[in-house]
Amino acid sequence: MKLSVLDQSPILSGMNPHEAFQQTKELAKLTDRLGYHRFWVSEHHSTESLAGSSPEILAAHLAAHTENIRIGTGGVLLPHYSSYKVAESFRVLETLHPSRIDLGVGRAPGGMPNVNLALNGGSVPNVEGYPGQIEELMAYLHGQDPHGMDIYATPRGETSPPIWMLGSSGTSARLAADLGVSYSFAHFINGRGGTRAVERYFNYFTPSMQQSEPNANVSIFVVCADSDGHAEYLASSLDLALLKIEQGGKNNYFPTPEEALQYPYSHFEEQRIQENRNRMIVGSVEKVKEEIQELAQIYHVDEIIVNTIVTPFEDRLRSYELLAEAFELRQTETTNLKNSGNY
């Protein structure tokens, strides 16, 4: 089974955005060496606790500092942008790093409702045009001229980055199937109903110029530690952060476990935390490995994307190291980048 990474560049307590990006880069380099399959970064706007607002730029930086791991976006929020411009951005990335780039796309706002207006010149984006945008994007990526205007996405080349549609519902799954692109279900956003969505994707998949067979993966929050007790301690900060997001509060950073354990939870909040645990896998190496394998079997996929947000950062790195050991990922030696002074 393949393990991959989704990193949202969280700003931990006492840290700043520059440090958050440095941590994302360090994590990408580590997981590259450990043998993880892909590394995706997200798009969030006007969000104090998550630094990543331009995933295509961050992806370029990470691809330059890694050697083997696939680098991509999880994802570009397509309704805000021109399909042609997105295609050219990713044709540049693909030309720089052939066969290592993924283009994950989504249609969520990426922040509070006013973000839609700010990104679209004061107008609400045309979400209804999203399917057509993806078809247009795929055509440009593959060297076509979809509108007969003698316009092509450059630089053109032999390979094209695959489109991954990101979603947390059956609607997005069916759309990915109809358009013939890969599909990634966000279990870390919606902990219920995902198996039906992915099943729908497999059942209705239609071949496209991108691919002839369906391809799906699932992303989930994971906190892995040397013991169940320490994992629960670390996960308490994520529990509180998710609770505050649900309540509409403004998180300037991700809290520490100490802050989470001192928080005076109401009975309702404790229930919400338990419900949100459906979006996570938390525990020791043995427990986490077993639950990840069960998740993959339930979804009928061979790839799980891990999203770990804990503080301190060293425990985040340790969580990925423990998973790599548990699943016996094939570690690689990094030579070119090391010799060039990037390490």
Side-chain angles (χ1 to χ4, degrees):
M1 188 175 70
K2 296 188 287 282
L3 288 185
S4 296
V5 182
L6 170 64
D7 192 71
Q8 297 174 289
S9 300
I11 300 174
L12 306 180
S13 178
M15 300 291 178
N16 59 43
H18 174 74
E19 291 168 309
F21 284 141
Q22 291 298 107
Q23 290 174 348
T24 292
K25 180 176 74 172
E26 185 174 342
L27 179 60
K29 289 161 55 175
L30 173 67
T31 52
D32 183 25
R33 295 195 299 271
L34 291 176
Y36 281 78
H37 183 59
R38 66 180 95 242
F39 192 104
W40 286 354
V41 290
S42 57
E43 178 174 342
H44 296 274
H45 299 285
S46 192
T47 304
E48 295 292 334
S49 59
L50 299 172
S53 57
S54 184
E56 62 274 29
I57 292 178
L58 185 53
H61 181 66
L62 298 177
H65 285 84
T66 54
E67 293 187 18
N68 302 296
I69 195 168
R70 296 189 65 88
I71 300 293
T73 54
V76 171
L77 305 179
L78 193 58
H80 297 313
Y81 311 116
S82 155
S83 296
Y84 179 66
K85 177 58 178 175
V86 172
E88 290 210 313
S89 295
F90 279 80
R91 286 240 47 94
V92 169
L93 282 171
E94 181 70 15
T95 303
L96 289 169
H97 308 280
S99 301
R100 281 187 60 211
I101 302 299
D102 294 326
L103 172 48
V105 298
R107 60 179 176 184
M112 299 301 288
N114 284 344
V115 165
N116 278 326
L117 302 179
L119 287 171
N120 293 275
S123 301
V124 176
N126 177 23
V127 177
E128 289 73 19
Y130 181 58
Q133 269 195 293
I134 293 179
E135 291 181 305
E136 183 182 47
L137 177 63
M138 190 189 308
Y140 280 129
L141 287 172
H142 287 264
Q144 295 187 357
D145 175 18
H147 302 295
M149 298 172 61
D150 198 26
I151 293 175
Y152 302 89
T154 54
R156 298 164 80 174
E158 296 295 325
T159 60
S160 299
I163 296 173
W164 283 81
M165 184 174 292
L166 315 180
S168 57
S169 70
T171 301
S172 58
R174 179 59 190 268
L175 181 57
D178 289 343
L179 296 177
V181 298
S182 296
Y183 181 63
S184 182
F185 183 81
H187 190 102
F188 76 101
I189 293 176
N190 179 9
R192 298 189 182 278
T195 55
R196 292 191 297 274
V198 173
E199 182 181 18
R200 190 177 190 185
Y201 167 73
F202 283 123
N203 288 341
Y204 289 95
F205 180 83
T206 302
S208 68
M209 72 176 75
Q210 174 174 296
Q211 62 195 73
S212 59
E213 300 291 336
N215 187 22
N217 61 36
V218 176
S219 54
I220 187 169
F221 285 121
V222 175
V223 179
C224 185
D226 292 290
S227 68
D228 288 338
H230 190 55
E232 288 291 336
Y233 170 77
L234 294 173
S236 64
S237 61
L238 183 56
D239 288 332
L240 178 58
L242 295 178
L243 182 65
K244 289 300 182 183
I245 292 171
E246 287 184 347
Q247 294 174 342
K250 188 174 184 179
N251 289 336
N252 295 320
Y253 59 87
F254 277 83
T256 64
E258 291 79 8
E259 291 172 318
L261 294 174
Q262 293 173 5
Y263 184 86
Y265 295 98
S266 68
H267 177 67
F268 173 76
E269 289 174 329
E270 290 176 346
Q271 289 181 316
R272 285 305 310 160
I273 286 175
Q274 290 306 310
E275 176 64 23
N276 281 334
R277 281 302 182 98
N278 290 313
R279 301 154 60 184
M280 305 181 201
I281 294 177
V282 178
S284 63
V285 178
E286 296 78 10
K287 180 176 183 289
V288 168
K289 180 180 180 180
E290 181 180 351
E291 293 190 18
I292 286 178
Q293 290 174 326
E294 289 177 355
L295 187 74
Q297 291 172 358
I298 292 170
Y299 273 97
H300 300 290
V301 298
D302 65 356
E303 179 184 3
I304 298 296
I305 300 182
V306 174
N307 182 1
T308 300
I309 303 178
V310 297
T311 183
F313 178 59
E314 292 72 21
D315 283 302
R316 187 150 130 235
L317 298 177
R318 179 62 177 159
S319 182
Y320 285 103
E321 289 173 341
L322 290 172
L323 287 178
E325 293 172 7
F327 283 90
E328 299 179 341
L329 300 186
R330 184 178 180 181
Q331 297 193 23
T332 59
E333 292 292 333
T334 52
T335 55
N336 295 334
L337 293 177
K338 187 173 183 179
N339 294 335
S340 69
N342 285 324
Y343 275 71

